[in-house]
Amino acid sequence: MNKPNIDATTVATVWHSMQTICREMRHIVKRTAQNYLLGQLQDLSVGIWGADGSTIAVPAGLPVQFLGTTFAVQDLVRDFAGNINPGDVFLTNDPYHGGHNCHLPDWGYIRPIFYHGELLFFTLCRGHQMDTGGSFPGGYFPNGYDIHAEGLIIPPIKVFDRGRERTDVVNLILNNVRFPDGVRIDLHAMIGSTTMCEKRMIALLDTYGKETVLACVKEMLERTERAVREEIRKIPDGVYTGAAATDDDGTVLDEQVWVRACVTVQGDEMTIDLSESDAQRRGFVNSVYAATYGNTIAAAILCFDPALADYHNQGTMASIKVIAPLGSVVNCQYPATVGASPVNVGTQVMEAVLEALSKAVPHRSVAAWAKHRGDYVFAVDPRNGERYVRTSFDYDGSGGAVWGFDGYQGLSSMTALGAANRGNVEETEVRIPWRMLRYEFVPDLTGEGRWRGGPGLRWEAVNEGSSGQMATGSSDGDVVQGFGAVGGHPSPICRTYLRRNGEDIRVKPHRLVDVKEGDILIKHSSGGGGVGDPAERDPEMVREDVKNGLVSPQAARDIYKAVIDPTTFKIDQAATKKLRPQSSG
């Protein structure tokens, strides 16, 4: 068969059509899901893969949810050989047995896409469910004996067979979650997005023909690989190291868990070796290889030319090798618990890799983002008498600085890379019986630098529901700090308190605690790390930060070496020059 003669316009049209289809998938779930995590925060990922598992289109989502999906598709093709048909939909949340998932709350629906009887593509919609059974709702039980305590484990299984729902399978699954009506709605929302993808892809194939579409995909994968290899060539050959820790593993308390990265660059290839990381733990911070792989690749991408952001695919991964030895905290073995891994060890993987690469290419350095400060409350809403579980990113600080730019304000944790949104106060108060008291950025709760991290925040809310339990889940940052790069300061430590009868009770990450009616939950969530020496920050930028309440006049003087009048917000040029006589700023 002769190779189709494809022009640049056709390649671009086919490629961006597939990107648009994926974004439409997310939009469908956002508009139809009832789960706060899916509908409001968009804790979901979608994409398109080739019949061989090659990653093709992944324009938006959480890297930990989809960059390892190539392994899941390859296992699916192997395990269901001869039994993959048009109209099938597979469901899995299993991290171990062919699902290659990050943790149990993330359910993935995989649909094969056939064209004239030939399997050409797979599409996936993976999203965080409000409950997946287990010992504690939401899947964040810090003291599970093994992964079975964390919830229902679903290996790849058909929930639709040739277009017909397998109601026995679906009912079995729904019978093992606490909110079956809501989960059923979300199930159909996510499956509906894969149905739309199938229709759009068939229309694209009808318009351009199979050979042309496949040729365009092949061309884009090859272009991306060439571009990424060229980016790697720009990094000086050498060996670069980084390390990061989580506060503890949730079972063995107050003992840090370390991830260590050794990045070797040679020519146009990069090897990221995590072999020096800690052994897998008793607690729920362990990460399976597919999740580690996704976070590792995502971290490396951040140090490449941002013009490539919309074009990453299997070609990106061809020149990056990820080593994570079996039995380590970055490649754990069944039946290790993994509930907190996407944020805990997942964040540590990204921080360790980015710290290493920031040494290799300082002009592309990326500081750590804010630590996750989530909690998961399970209680009863007196307004309707029904149980609820609250899961959210709304309490997190902001992004870390990058070379040339301050950290972005108002993002969630690093492993989401901005794909997961914050909710709004009104929506939260409608859904759960907690009334907001404070939700604001506060001064001096970020990593200082020539480019500072995004600001930290203070969040307070009062429990107007019943007594219940709160798991502080995959939170972090009471002990460990996110790194600053090239002389920038790390993110400050965080704190969480329960105010009860006027007394502030400190609550650490990875714990399970009681909450009472009238308790006030208080979170001091730090911002991201800084990049560059703070004394080199433009005094005018410091003045703006003081005026906007993000930096105190005292910190401006002591850390940024800029003297700002706290009343007029004018720069005292003479005093500033005395503090930083060698500064070019």
Side-chain angles (χ1 to χ4, degrees):
M1 181 184 299
N2 294 327
K3 180 179 178 180
N5 184 18
I6 51 174
D7 58 80
T9 300
T10 302
V11 172
T13 301
V14 169
W15 177 255
H16 289 290
S17 293
M18 297 176 78
Q19 306 291 303
T20 300
I21 290 168
C22 292
R23 292 188 173 92
E24 286 186 80
M25 292 176 69
R26 281 175 60 87
H27 183 70
I28 284 176
V29 178
K30 177 182 177 181
R31 295 300 298 270
T32 57
Q34 59 79 46
N35 175 356
Y36 185 73
L37 282 160
L38 292 176
Q40 294 296 313
L41 305 186
Q42 296 189 64
D43 186 354
L44 74 148
S45 301
V46 298
I48 300 170
W49 284 260
D52 63 349
S54 297
T55 302
I56 297 174
V58 284
L62 285 64
V64 72
Q65 290 180 344
F66 65 69
L67 282 183
T69 297
T70 182
F71 307 120
V73 172
Q74 289 170 352
D75 282 0
L76 190 72
V77 170
R78 180 197 66 209
D79 295 342
F80 285 84
N83 191 24
I84 300 176
N85 309 294
D88 288 351
V89 177
F90 298 86
L91 166 63
T92 181
N93 72 343
D94 193 338
Y96 293 111
H97 309 109
H100 297 283
N101 195 31
C102 55
H103 66 165
L104 299 183
D106 286 341
W107 293 15
Y109 294 90
I110 303 174
R111 177 187 291 273
I113 298 176
F114 286 79
Y115 188 67
H116 295 317
E118 182 181 0
L119 176 61
L120 296 183
F121 302 102
F122 286 90
T123 183
L124 162 78
C125 181
R126 192 188 300 277
H128 195 136
Q129 303 303 305
M130 63 191 300
D131 183 52
T132 189
S135 299
F136 191 83
Y140 291 92
F141 186 63
N143 287 301
Y145 179 79
D146 57 25
I147 193 172
H148 296 278
E150 296 186 312
L152 181 66
I153 307 171
I154 310 168
I157 189 171
K158 289 186 183 183
V159 289
F160 274 75
D161 189 352
R162 300 177 189 264
R164 297 187 64 180
E165 182 178 80
R166 297 186 62 189
T167 55
D168 53 345
V169 173
V170 171
N171 289 337
L172 173 65
I173 292 168
L174 295 179
N175 199 49
N176 282 278
V177 299
R178 293 174 176 85
F179 308 100
D181 292 339
V183 173
R184 181 183 289 277
I185 292 170
D186 294 340
L187 178 154
H188 286 289
M190 298 172 71
I191 291 175
S193 76
T194 68
T195 302
M196 184 279 296
C197 179
E198 179 183 41
K199 291 179 178 178
R200 294 280 197 275
M201 286 299 297
I202 289 173
L204 187 69
L205 289 159
D206 283 341
T207 300
Y208 291 97
K210 182 190 78 171
E211 288 75 19
T212 295
V213 169
L214 293 181
C216 289
V217 168
K218 184 174 184 294
E219 175 68 17
M220 286 306 303
L221 267 59
E222 291 175 351
R223 287 187 189 182
T224 298
E225 181 174 351
R226 290 194 298 269
V228 168
R229 288 189 179 278
E230 186 58 34
E231 286 297 299
I232 295 174
R233 285 192 193 95
K234 296 176 184 178
I235 303 173
D237 284 0
V239 178
Y240 309 93
T241 59
T246 183
D247 284 0
D248 56 43
D249 71 9
T251 299
V252 179
L253 302 179
D254 301 317
E255 181 180 302
Q256 295 177 5
V257 181
W258 284 89
V259 173
R260 300 175 181 89
C262 179
V263 180
T264 301
V265 177
Q266 186 172 8
D268 64 356
E269 294 191 345
M270 177 185 294
T271 299
I272 302 175
D273 189 346
L274 306 173
S275 297
E276 296 302 313
S277 301
D278 286 354
Q280 71 180 53
R281 304 293 297 226
R282 288 175 56 197
F284 64 166
V285 301
N286 301 291
S287 179
V288 296
Y289 181 78
T292 294
Y293 180 86
N295 283 322
T296 302
I297 296 294
I301 286 171
L302 293 180
C303 294
F304 298 157
D305 188 340
L308 298 178
D310 290 335
Y311 302 98
H312 290 295
N313 52 44
Q314 195 68 35
T316 303
M317 307 169 199
S319 52
I320 304 174
K321 182 179 181 182
V322 179
I323 300 172
L326 189 64
S328 67
V329 74
V330 290
N331 186 5
C332 60
Q333 292 178 287
Y334 171 84
T337 52
V338 297
S341 67
V343 173
N344 283 129
V345 162
T347 295
Q348 277 42 265
V349 166
M350 294 192 72
E351 288 187 3
V353 172
L354 283 169
E355 183 181 29
L357 287 173
S358 291
K359 298 172 183 176
V361 279
H363 64 286
R364 289 274 173 81
S365 55
V366 180
W369 289 24
K371 297 296 186 181
H372 180 49
R373 302 302 295 173
D375 62 68
Y376 310 87
V377 174
F378 185 44
V380 174
D381 187 339
R383 296 172 297 184
N384 54 26
E386 295 182 356
R387 298 184 300 173
Y388 72 90
V389 58
R390 183 188 71 191
T391 58
S392 178
F393 311 119
D394 292 344
Y395 338 101
D396 289 352
S398 305
V402 300
W403 184 270
F405 299 92
D406 291 342
Y408 197 82
Q409 297 184 179
L411 294 175
S412 60
S413 59
M414 176 172 273
T415 52
L417 287 181
N421 300 334
R422 293 181 187 275
N424 59 66
V425 172
E426 293 78 9
E427 181 74 27
T428 303
E429 291 182 338
V430 166
R431 287 176 177 261
I432 61 172
W434 286 72
R435 178 168 53 84
M436 201 73 67
L437 302 177
R438 294 182 65 175
Y439 193 8
E440 60 191 13
F441 291 135
V442 293
D444 303 337
L445 197 58
T446 191
E448 300 88 356
R450 181 177 177 184
W451 298 283
R452 59 160 175 77
L457 60 84
R458 180 172 174 131
W459 184 98
E460 295 183 13
V462 59
N463 179 19
E464 296 184 340
S466 75
S467 297
Q469 286 190 301
M470 178 178 72
T472 51
S474 53
S475 297
D476 222 337
D478 279 45
V479 178
V480 299
Q481 297 173 266
F483 76 97
V486 201
H489 291 195
S491 60
I493 59 174
C494 307
R495 288 291 182 265
T496 297
Y497 301 94
L498 273 176
R499 180 170 294 163
R500 182 177 298 160
N501 301 323
E503 178 187 0
D504 285 354
I505 305 166
R506 185 176 166 193
V507 181
K508 292 184 178 181
H510 311 152
R511 270 58 167 184
L512 187 63
V513 299
D514 292 331
V515 293
K516 305 293 185 182
E517 296 177 25
D519 280 354
I520 297 174
L521 184 60
I522 303 168
K523 293 178 182 286
H524 300 266
S525 301
S526 72
V531 170
D533 183 351
E536 296 179 358
R537 185 169 177 81
D538 185 340
E540 178 59 28
M541 297 174 73
V542 179
R543 187 192 74 81
E544 284 293 319
D545 286 343
V546 172
K547 183 179 178 180
N548 291 330
L550 302 181
V551 173
S552 68
Q554 188 68 38
R557 173 189 286 272
D558 295 345
I559 300 174
Y560 290 102
K561 310 302 180 186
V563 181
I564 312 296
D565 187 291
T567 303
T568 65
F569 302 112
K570 291 184 178 179
I571 302 171
D572 186 331
Q573 300 288 355
T576 297
K577 186 174 182 180
K578 188 178 294 185
L579 288 175
R580 47 162 78 180
Q582 305 302 318
S583 174
S584 60

